[in-house]
Amino acid sequence: MQTSYTAGETTASLLETTIGENFARVSERFADREALIEAAGDGRADAARRWTYAELAHDVDAAARGLLAAGVAKGERVGIWSPNCAEWTILQYATAAVGAILVNVNPAYRSHELQFVVRQNGMRTLVVAPSDRTSEYVAMAREALAECPELRKLVFLPAPNASGEAVFEAGVPSSGAETTWEDLVGRAGEVPASAVAERAATLSAEDPINIQYTSGTTGFPKGATLTHRNILNNGFAIGELLGYTPEDRVVIPVPFYHCFGMVIGNLAAYSHGSATILPGRTFRPDAALRAVQDFGGTSLYGVPTMFIAELALPDFGSYRLETLRTGVMAGSPCPEEVMKRVISDMHMEDVAICYGMTETSPVSTMTRLGDTLAQRTGTVGRTMPDLETKVIDPATGETVERGAIGELCTRGYAVMSGYWDQPDKTAEAIDADGWMHTGDLAHMDQDGYVVIEGRIKDMVIRGGENIYPREIEEFLYRHPAIQDVQVIGVPDATYGEELMACIILKPGAEALTAEDLAEYCRGRLAHYKVPRYIDLRDSFPMTVSGKIRKVQMREEAVERLGLGAR
Ligand code: AMP
């Protein structure tokens, strides 16, 4: 019997260096090459901000010295609460250079959640986005400053301005505890040029450098704590498998506050001398494609819903996407049909699927260049180099046979050092042998390729049958009227649970009924897998990182259908 365990290929050596050292080496080597392009709000090339590696290294150094001048100690927590912008990247590398722990704060958080994370990790400095239409960042940050004694300093980022001037809202900064990004960077001259190198000499690859709060749908968020070694090596390995070179230009419409942006994006690109391109502060399908077109993107990232939205643009055919060759789709199940269109219609012949979670830095399995179409569209690839994965029976902990469904576990350099200040939660997630238990159901095929079947808690049990919503979603994606679909379980007096298909129709498609769907499924799906209910929607509730909130959809459905608590 072959068990569901594989180890990725062993590479010559993991990088045992800090992010700062790695960036210094790369930026020296590729000094004149373009490193970062931030498109203007509407993606117009003329108003974009651009940095070469030398310019980016200069700005990172200035910010690092500014942090030192402000007294930021090694290991001190510095938060950033902002949608994507160039300063996000600069701060990521500046904090790494001085050994401060960057805390990614979800830009969708509001006061209560912000204050929770500030207190949870004892954050002393918070870099804050300018307020925008959706979020009063400045006011909420000031509230946190007043309420949380550990928080000492707010650093306000300028508002985007087409003419390149830094603009701050009236009254910013207002007190000694407030400063602007410009002022922070302006303090660089207060410390000697050698100060960053002196601090760097005290840092080690094993030091924690980043805290990311996992989106957990229940309970309080937990702060996954990641080291230089965790995320630098994972980013580097992803870039290797994508074949990144200094010729690559990586378009990043996914958020930086999540690993997808800052690791699969920044660290993978910058460890290979590639350029990053930011299409905008938040995701817009047209801006993402404009950025590819205007700046010659070779690689495009997205969660599946982003690619679905791009492909659905009425003027999709008018974008010139021929420069694309690769990219990453990850974060939630990637429908095969969407993968196929991304390969054929977006020219992303070498697109990869990555699977992983924040706690594993994030990627633990990935498809490879040269994999068959079936492997690249129907699986999440195989184990990353220098990592191990296995599928276990959640009840017994035994590794299951190939092909059998169980819980996926990951071990190796990418597993986080733990949840910040929560040893009990860490021990629940990482067992004594170092295996991270993902909470994801999966099976591993004969060749070691992994197929994700869903979250353990999303599995639906109808009349004793285990149903994996993913299988039904894949089937329904092929329906000509369906643009996007999510399948959830709702309570049922007879069967325990019944299936509901939540559907976004293609523009112009005629409304579907539950009967239409049943007719479509007849003879092609076992009867118990045919959704009993249908819910036509314009959108799905999502986290900022693009995860669909199935728990919320289920609660809403229960309320609407009057199904009561289970
Ligand atoms: P996060 O920690 O926010 O990155 O969320 C991690 C979770 O996202 C995993 O445990 C999976 O449930 C899901 N996920 C990530 N990548 C994939 C993928 N390629 N296919 C299916 N699910 C994924």
Side-chain angles (χ1 to χ4, degrees):
M1 176 190 101
Q2 202 184 5
T3 59
S4 300
Y5 165 88
T6 52
E9 54 275 47
T10 308
T11 57
S13 57
L14 288 169
L15 303 172
E16 299 294 354
T17 178
T18 60
I19 291 170
E21 281 166 351
N22 182 265
F23 182 69
R25 199 176 47 74
V26 172
S27 53
E28 219 162 278
R29 183 153 169 225
F30 301 110
D32 297 332
R33 293 200 69 96
E34 207 146 32
L36 170 59
I37 301 175
E38 184 195 68
D42 61 357
R44 277 193 345 264
D46 55 341
R49 295 197 291 165
R50 307 173 94 117
W51 285 257
T52 62
Y53 267 97
E55 288 162 349
L56 186 60
H58 173 273
D59 285 3
V60 165
D61 184 64
R65 285 162 67 192
L67 291 170
L68 292 178
V72 171
K74 175 180 169 183
E76 192 173 310
R77 270 77 64 207
V78 174
I80 177 146
W81 191 32
S82 173
N84 286 6
C85 61
E87 286 78 10
W88 211 113
T89 299
I90 293 168
L91 185 70
Q92 178 184 346
Y93 281 82
T95 47
V98 302
I101 301 178
L102 182 70
V103 182
N104 304 1
V105 185
N106 186 334
Y109 276 1
R110 295 292 174 263
S111 295
H112 177 71
E113 295 140 319
L114 172 68
Q115 292 182 26
F116 173 82
V117 302
V118 165
R119 288 203 178 89
Q120 207 278 326
N121 62 65
M123 184 192 296
R124 296 188 82 155
T125 303
L126 178 64
V127 178
V128 184
S131 300
D132 60 23
R133 263 185 308 110
T134 55
S135 299
E136 292 288 340
Y137 291 116
V138 173
M140 287 189 280
R142 284 177 167 162
E143 218 177 290
L145 186 70
E147 296 288 326
C148 308
E150 47 285 87
L151 186 61
R152 306 276 170 79
K153 194 163 233 53
L154 300 179
V155 180
F156 292 113
L157 291 169
N161 176 309
S163 62
E165 292 156 17
V167 179
F168 295 93
E169 70 186 60
V172 168
S174 77
S175 70
E178 297 185 0
T179 185
T180 64
W181 176 258
E182 311 260 287
D183 288 340
L184 178 83
V185 174
R187 292 186 65 181
E190 292 176 28
V191 299
S194 59
V196 177
E198 279 160 27
R199 174 65 66 80
T202 70
L203 308 181
S204 119
E206 304 277 1
D207 294 336
I209 202 64
N210 182 218
I211 302 176
Q212 305 193 28
Y213 283 83
T214 56
S215 41
T217 45
T218 50
F220 288 107
K222 301 187 284 287
T225 306
L226 301 163
T227 65
H228 294 267
R229 190 170 190 267
N230 287 149
I231 58 178
L232 176 61
N233 280 291
N234 203 245
F236 182 73
I238 295 158
E240 287 288 287
L241 295 185
L242 293 171
Y244 278 171
T245 73
E247 301 297 321
D248 277 297
R249 298 164 80 77
V250 185
V251 178
I252 308 178
V254 294
F256 279 146
Y257 92 84
H258 188 267
C259 274
F260 204 168
M262 65 168 312
V263 180
I264 307 180
N266 285 346
L267 285 163
Y270 292 154
S271 58
H272 288 82
S274 311
T276 62
I277 297 167
L278 309 182
R281 299 169 70 72
T282 53
F283 174 71
R284 270 192 17 217
D286 53 341
L289 298 190
R290 278 285 283 278
V292 171
Q293 169 179 288
D294 291 349
F295 305 110
T298 63
S299 176
L300 174 64
Y301 290 179
V303 296
T305 49
M306 292 180 177
F307 285 104
I308 292 170
E310 289 156 10
L311 288 161
L313 282 172
D315 60 350
F316 173 77
S318 71
Y319 294 92
R320 292 192 312 282
L321 307 176
E322 291 78 11
T323 52
L324 285 174
R325 70 167 182 89
T326 188
V328 174
M329 200 186 302
S332 59
C334 309
E336 281 188 50
E337 292 303 313
V338 178
M339 274 300 278
K340 287 181 183 155
R341 280 203 65 198
V342 164
I343 292 171
S344 61
D345 300 359
M346 297 176 88
H347 309 282
M348 293 170 57
E349 293 83 10
D350 295 339
V351 63
I353 288 183
C354 291
Y355 158 84
M357 64 197 315
T358 307
E359 289 89 333
T360 58
S361 293
V363 178
S364 54
T365 72
M366 181 167 168
T367 57
R368 308 293 207 273
L369 301 180
D371 281 351
T372 65
L373 187 68
Q375 286 167 331
R376 292 173 53 224
T377 58
T379 82
V380 294
R382 57 190 163 85
T383 308
M384 290 291 279
D386 306 301
L387 293 179
E388 298 169 278
T389 60
K390 65 177 180 179
V391 181
I392 62 165
D393 179 334
T396 65
E398 294 296 318
T399 306
V400 299
E401 278 180 53
R402 289 285 169 109
I405 294 175
E407 185 181 17
L408 191 66
C409 300
T410 300
R411 182 163 75 174
Y413 77 83
V415 175
M416 64 172 177
S417 64
Y419 292 117
W420 184 266
D421 201 23
Q422 288 194 292
D424 50 332
K425 298 283 181 208
T426 306
E428 281 170 25
I430 306 174
D431 67 26
D433 295 323
W435 288 98
M436 173 76 208
H437 292 244
T438 65
D440 288 314
L441 291 167
H443 79 259
M444 188 182 281
D445 73 13
Q446 298 305 325
D447 302 315
Y449 283 75
V450 173
V451 176
I452 302 296
E453 307 283 355
R455 301 286 297 168
I456 289 182
K457 58 184 184 318
D458 288 341
M459 189 176 77
V460 180
I461 306 179
R462 180 191 181 276
E465 302 273 7
N466 289 358
I467 306 177
Y468 305 106
R470 172 83 201 274
E471 179 193 352
I472 302 161
E473 289 162 7
E474 288 288 350
F475 174 78
L476 293 178
Y477 269 116
R478 295 190 214 130
H479 190 289
I482 292 179
Q483 177 172 315
D484 203 351
V485 54
Q486 294 293 317
V487 171
I488 56 175
V490 293
D492 183 80
T494 312
Y495 294 105
E497 280 184 292
E498 268 289 6
L499 291 178
M500 171 182 275
C502 306
I503 291 172
I504 299 175
L505 291 172
K506 286 195 178 142
E510 281 196 23
L512 281 175
T513 64
E515 293 72 50
D516 298 336
L517 211 59
E519 180 61 33
Y520 180 74
C521 297
R522 192 161 299 137
R524 299 154 93 187
L525 272 191
H527 71 91
Y528 67 89
K529 294 183 191 164
V530 176
R532 158 113 179 255
Y533 302 104
I534 188 168
D535 181 20
L536 299 179
R537 319 176 53 116
D538 297 329
S539 63
F540 299 130
M542 286 208 287
T543 66
V544 183
S545 59
K547 294 224 185 338
I548 292 163
R549 294 184 192 272
K550 283 197 168 179
V551 173
Q552 183 183 333
M553 285 167 63
R554 183 186 155 94
E555 285 164 5
E556 288 170 5
V558 167
E559 175 101 348
R560 207 171 39 253
L561 300 174
L563 296 171
R566 262 224 292 172

